[in-house]
C-alpha cells in the first residue's frame, strides 16, 4: 500500500535532484525519439562540445561536459559507430585521440539543437518564466560550488 503523505526525503536536495534528473532524461528521450534522433543527453552534450571545439581530445571532452573518462570512452565509441564523429590519433600526442564531427554528425546536431532548446521549459513544468531563470541561476551556483566534490568535475 502506498501513502500520499510526504516522506522526509521529499524535501531533501538529493532526492529532488534525482527526480529532476529522471524527469529531464524522460523528456529528452521522448522528444528525441519523436523527432527521429537516436541520441542520449550525454551524446548530445558530447556532439555540442566537439562542434564547439573541433580536434578536442577525449580527456578534454570529458572535463568540458563533466563526465568521467571511462564513460566518455563508451560515448565516443557509440558516436563513432553511428557515423557522427571521426576519431584520429593526435599528431602532437600519439596517445591522444582528436575528435571532430562528420557531416552526418553536424547535420544531426543542427537538427537536434532546436528540439533540445524547445524541451527545456517542459523539464521545469510548474515554474513561471521568472522562476525558471531563478532555478537555473541557483542550480548553476550550487553546481559551481560543489564542482570539486564531483567524481567528474567540470573543467574550468
Amino acid at each position: 500500500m502506498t501513502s500520499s503523505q510526504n516522506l522526509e526525503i521529499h524535501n531533501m536536495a538529493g532526492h529532488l535532484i534525482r527526480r529532476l534528473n529522471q524527469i529531464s532524461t524522460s523528456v529528452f528521450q521522448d522528444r528525441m525519439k519523436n523527432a527521429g534522433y537516436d541520441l542520449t543527453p550525454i551524446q548530445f552534450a558530447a556532439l555540442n562540445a566537439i562542434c564547439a571545439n573541433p580536434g578536442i581530445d577525449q580527456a578534454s571532452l570529458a572535463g568540458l561536459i563533466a563526465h568521467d573518462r571511462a564513460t566518455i570512452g563508451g560515448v565516443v565509441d557509440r558516436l563513432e559507430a553511428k557515423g557522427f564523429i571521426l576519431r584520429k590519433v593526435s599528431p602532437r600526442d600519439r596517445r591522444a585521440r582528436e575528435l571532430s564531427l562528420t557531416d552526418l554528425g553536424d547535420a544531426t546536431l543542427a537538427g537536434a539543437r532546436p528540439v533540445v532548446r524547445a524541451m527545456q521549459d517542459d523539464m521545469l513544468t510548474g515554474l513561471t518564466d521568472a522562476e525558471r531563470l531563478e532555478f537555473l541561476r541557483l542550480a548553476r551556483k550550487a553546481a559551481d560550488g560543489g564542482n570539486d566534490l564531483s567524481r567528474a568535475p567540470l573543467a574550468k
Side-chain angles (χ1 to χ4, degrees), residues 114-136:
V115 177
V116 172
R117 287 181 185 132
M119 72 177 74
Q120 297 306 303
D121 286 346
D122 294 337
M123 292 176 183
L124 297 175
T125 297
L127 299 181
T128 66
D129 289 346
E131 289 169 334
R132 284 184 188 112
L133 289 173
E134 181 66 2
F135 171 83
L136 292 172

Side-chain angles (χ1 to χ4, degrees), residues 1-144:
M1 175 149 98
T2 60
S3 172
S4 63
Q5 69 188 102
N6 265 353
L7 299 176
E8 181 180 11
I9 62 168
H10 293 169
N11 294 309
M12 292 182 168
H15 177 76
L16 293 169
I17 292 165
R18 183 188 62 78
R19 289 283 299 129
L20 286 171
N21 183 59
Q22 286 177 318
I23 292 164
S24 69
T25 300
S26 178
V27 169
F28 189 96
Q29 290 172 341
D30 290 347
R31 299 296 162 77
M32 284 290 110
K33 182 179 178 184
N34 290 340
Y37 295 105
D38 179 23
L39 285 176
T40 65
I42 186 173
Q43 289 172 352
F44 176 80
L47 287 177
N48 196 316
I50 294 166
C51 180
N53 300 277
I56 191 171
D57 64 85
Q58 285 182 212
S60 297
L61 175 63
L64 194 58
I65 62 174
H67 279 278
D68 62 272
R69 290 181 184 194
T71 300
I72 213 66
V75 171
V76 167
D77 289 345
R78 286 185 285 285
L79 290 173
E80 185 177 39
K82 291 177 181 183
F84 294 160
I85 65 167
L86 292 174
R87 180 173 25 186
K88 67 178 185 174
V89 175
S90 170
R92 294 178 303 281
D93 180 354
R94 306 264 324 138
R95 296 167 297 168
R97 302 293 180 262
E98 292 181 350
L99 309 172
S100 59
L101 294 183
T102 62
D103 289 343
L104 177 60
D106 192 50
T108 299
L109 180 60
R113 268 190 179 128
V115 177
V116 172
R117 287 181 185 132
M119 72 177 74
Q120 297 306 303
D121 286 346
D122 294 337
M123 292 176 183
L124 297 175
T125 297
L127 299 181
T128 66
D129 289 346
E131 289 169 334
R132 284 184 188 112
L133 289 173
E134 181 66 2
F135 171 83
L136 292 172
R137 185 187 72 75
L138 291 171
R140 244 186 327 273
K141 184 176 181 179
D144 289 347

